Amino acid sequence: MQDLLADAGYSNGSNYYMLEQQGITGWIPVFGKYKPKIEGFPYDRENDRYLCPMGKPLPFMGFDHTMDGRLLKNYWAGPSDCRQCPNKPTCAPRTRCRKITRTAYDGQYQRAHARQNSRRGKQMKKLCQSTVEPVFGSLVQHYGLRKINVLGKSGAHKVMLMAAAAFNLRKYMKFKPTKAVSMATALEKERQQDFRGSFLISSLLFLN
Ligand code: SF4
């Protein structure tokens, strides 16, 4: 596998990281709230810090976690810098200093965001919308997959396999090869011409 296409529901830093580690290009759009840049605070990659509009540094201060276990990085400005800054009322209104919290996988997010906005990323999005998403929509709406009534991943895997088999079987039964269709149309036309010809002959015989 060299490329992996999935929707934004699979967008998270550890997925991007794992794909990069395995040399797989992930075409997973980043979730809507992610912003690649913080307005007015350019990132200084070399020193792993942000710079504020007054040119003061916000260095990396340590890791943190969200409630659901996602890894974060904290960057804080110096309280002495902020205390005497004229921007403090708008920049850091209720805290001693300005704090920035970013995902620890920001590099991976940035790359995923750039991929998603590239020409190929837009093609991949169209591919996903025209192939994967309608199938999931049908499975949820018509095949009872709004909920999986089994316990465990292996049970869920079997349910998905059976649903995929049923979906493909139905698609196969509805499939009409283009060549066969044109052959059938040609035979039908020929049959209608024969019918019209014999009707004309019968009419002429009748008139005679
Ligand atoms: S309040 Fe602090 S972080 Fe914000 S502009 Fe002033 S010095 Fe920079």
Side-chain angles (χ1 to χ4, degrees):
M1 191 195 291
Q2 290 171 335
D3 295 272
L4 188 140
L5 183 60
D7 64 31
Y10 293 90
S11 159
N12 65 55
S14 46
N15 279 350
Y16 293 135
Y17 175 79
M18 186 266 294
L19 290 172
E20 283 190 1
Q21 290 298 304
Q22 302 201 9
I24 297 169
T25 308
W27 300 98
I28 308 175
V30 298
F31 64 92
K33 283 185 186 168
Y34 177 77
K35 291 200 170 40
K37 284 183 187 161
I38 304 172
E39 206 58 49
F41 290 79
Y43 180 59
D44 171 6
R45 189 172 302 281
E46 204 175 308
N47 298 301
D48 190 17
R49 64 179 187 172
Y50 286 86
L51 294 170
C52 79
M54 301 299 278
K56 304 290 181 192
L58 284 81
F60 170 60
M61 297 299 283
F63 288 102
D64 202 354
H65 284 94
T66 57
M67 295 283 278
D68 56 358
R70 278 178 288 154
L71 196 58
L72 302 171
K73 284 174 91 175
N74 285 326
Y75 299 85
W76 292 2
S80 56
D81 289 332
C82 294
R83 201 177 306 125
Q84 50 199 318
C85 174
N87 289 351
K88 182 158 189 316
T90 51
C91 185
R94 281 179 293 276
T95 52
R96 286 192 320 135
C97 61
R98 175 66 189 248
K99 295 175 183 174
I100 290 178
T101 303
R102 296 290 278 177
T103 165
Y105 298 104
D106 204 38
Q108 285 80 4
Y109 269 99
Q110 301 263 356
R111 289 188 281 280
H113 191 263
R115 270 198 303 278
Q116 142 188 9
N117 290 313
S118 66
R119 195 156 166 246
R120 179 115 197 268
K122 286 178 184 153
Q123 288 169 345
M124 293 304 247
K125 185 179 176 190
K126 276 190 192 157
L127 183 66
C128 187
Q129 284 172 339
S130 63
T131 53
V132 183
E133 287 174 13
V135 175
F136 270 106
S138 295
L139 291 175
V140 168
Q141 291 295 330
H142 308 297
Y143 289 70
L145 285 197
R146 195 171 290 280
K147 197 164 128 185
I148 292 185
N149 293 317
V150 292
L151 288 176
K153 279 189 187 172
S154 63
H157 186 67
K158 278 181 205 160
V159 172
M160 288 305 293
L161 277 181
M162 291 306 292
F167 187 90
N168 285 336
L169 193 57
R170 186 159 181 263
K171 204 170 166 186
Y172 179 68
M173 287 169 78
K174 284 170 82 179
F175 176 69
K176 288 178 187 157
T178 321
K179 206 172 171 189
V181 172
S182 26
M183 181 71 79
T185 313
L187 286 171
E188 178 59 21
K189 272 190 190 159
E190 197 178 273
R191 192 187 66 75
Q192 282 175 4
Q193 273 170 3
D194 283 354
F195 174 75
R196 275 192 223 109
S198 36
F199 179 75
L200 188 62
I201 290 166
S202 320
S203 306
L204 287 172
L205 284 173
F206 178 75
L207 286 173
N208 284 337

